Amino acid sequence: MNATPLRNIAHTRTGDKGDTSNISIIAYHIDDYPLLAERLTVQRVTEYFAQLLDPNGPPVRRYELPGVGALNFVLPGILRGGVTRSLALDAHGKALGAALLDLLL
């Protein structure tokens, strides 16, 4: 199977709370959920955002929602103090979710 960008099979919904971003990846078709669950691991998401995450901070967490074909990732500390305090350009959930859709599966 050829690698395909995540955006070809899923979309995102995001949220921010304090310095934590929450990214949900939702399959367009429920039949693609097993592929998401297999390939979109905590390790891959952590590696993808390694430059933005605090290596000594809390780990990325993944929650599985197979009934709706979704995975939810919680990224503590990635917002560096929160959207209104961060000097990072576009480091809030919507930008992070859009960036994650470029990941090759």
Side-chain angles (χ1 to χ4, degrees):
M1 181 173 137
N2 292 333
T4 186
L6 178 56
R7 74 176 63 255
N8 288 354
I9 65 168
H11 62 100
T12 65
R13 295 286 295 171
T14 63
D16 305 321
K17 189 70 168 178
D19 67 349
T20 299
S21 187
N22 183 53
I23 303 173
S24 292
I25 304 295
I26 306 136
Y28 291 124
H29 304 285
I30 196 76
D31 294 343
D32 288 326
Y33 175 76
L35 178 67
L36 290 178
E38 175 189 336
R39 298 201 181 166
L40 199 57
T41 63
V42 166
Q43 180 178 347
R44 288 206 63 203
V45 171
T46 300
E47 289 170 359
Y48 192 80
F49 289 120
Q51 292 182 324
L52 299 175
L53 291 165
D54 177 355
N56 299 314
V60 171
R61 296 184 308 274
R62 180 177 101 161
Y63 298 93
E64 299 178 2
L65 297 101
V68 294
L71 298 172
N72 180 263
F73 291 90
V74 177
L75 295 89
I78 198 165
L79 299 178
R80 301 178 192 166
V83 173
T84 58
R85 293 184 57 201
S86 176
L87 297 177
L89 183 62
D90 289 335
H92 49 82
K94 287 183 175 100
L96 296 170
L100 187 58
L101 290 176
D102 287 334
L103 183 75
L104 295 177
L105 296 179

